[in-house]
Amino acid sequence: MWIVLAALLVLGSRGLIANGVSAIGQFQPFGGGPRYLLREHVSGWWPSGFGATAFSPTAILMIAVSGVVALGRMALLHTATVVGLLLIGPVGMWNLSRSFGEYKSRVAATIVYAAVPLPYAAIASGQWNVLTVWAALPVIVYYSQQERNSRNTLKVAIVIATLAAFVPVAAVLLAVGFIVW
């Protein structure tokens, strides 16, 4: 099943993989390189809009660190992030559907989650927030359903904190939902 899903992902994303992600909506290229982004993060000056002396978003630091891992290939990192999020969602759904018991049910849940048009519409309109929430939601729900211990709570906190770096509003709502759950 995973080979078929990966093949469909590569086939469906071939335009993104070959040409990179188009600069539409929130999908603007990651500016400069890792060193530039790190400098922007620690400088205390945020050049967005007219500029301000404010903290830069934590996402900038995360992108800078990821840029170092990608050896400064920011366009590759940009494309790999978008395509990777399309894989994280179904993997999270596969783990979440463990409670279904039967293999066929897990396969069906994963395929249905991968076939939902939401992430593809988010890519078409350039919306990071929709794509990241779609990918993170089954992972958060899966870890929140596990036994309540410090390890699973830490896993949920890490996923929510990473989500908060890119989509602060969604992370607040998920944190409240996790506490109420």
Side-chain angles (χ1 to χ4, degrees):
M1 190 227 22
W2 288 111
I3 294 171
V4 172
L5 192 60
L8 288 174
L9 178 69
V10 169
L11 183 66
S13 304
R14 66 187 179 279
L16 291 174
I17 294 170
N19 304 324
V21 177
S22 299
I24 55 170
Q26 298 171 344
F27 284 173
Q28 299 304 312
F30 296 151
R35 182 180 297 167
Y36 171 78
L37 291 175
L38 186 60
R39 193 177 319 120
E40 289 294 322
H41 181 72
V42 299
S43 72
W45 175 257
W46 181 236
S48 180
F50 291 114
T53 54
F55 293 112
S56 63
T58 308
I60 300 299
L61 178 63
M62 296 174 84
I63 293 169
V65 171
S66 300
V68 170
V69 173
L71 303 174
R73 309 263 329 237
M74 300 307 279
L76 173 66
L77 175 63
H78 196 229
T79 302
T81 303
V82 170
V83 175
L85 287 172
L86 289 175
L87 187 61
I88 290 172
V91 169
M93 181 52 74
W94 175 261
N95 289 333
L96 178 60
S97 63
R98 281 186 180 170
S99 62
F100 295 172
E102 192 173 334
Y103 179 78
K104 291 178 183 179
S105 301
R106 292 180 75 185
V107 169
T110 304
I111 289 172
V112 166
Y113 197 75
V116 169
L118 183 70
Y120 312 108
I123 291 172
S125 61
Q127 296 180 350
W128 277 115
N129 51 1
V130 174
L131 189 60
T132 53
V133 170
W134 176 84
L137 193 59
V139 176
I140 291 170
V141 173
Y142 169 70
Y143 284 125
S144 64
Q145 286 183 343
Q146 299 301 308
E147 177 186 343
R148 294 272 176 137
N149 59 29
S150 59
R151 187 175 183 187
N152 288 332
T153 303
L154 180 63
K155 289 176 185 179
V156 170
I158 288 171
V159 175
I160 290 177
T162 304
L163 182 64
F166 294 94
V167 189
V169 172
V172 170
L173 294 174
L174 288 171
V176 169
F178 180 67
I179 290 169
V180 171
W181 184 278

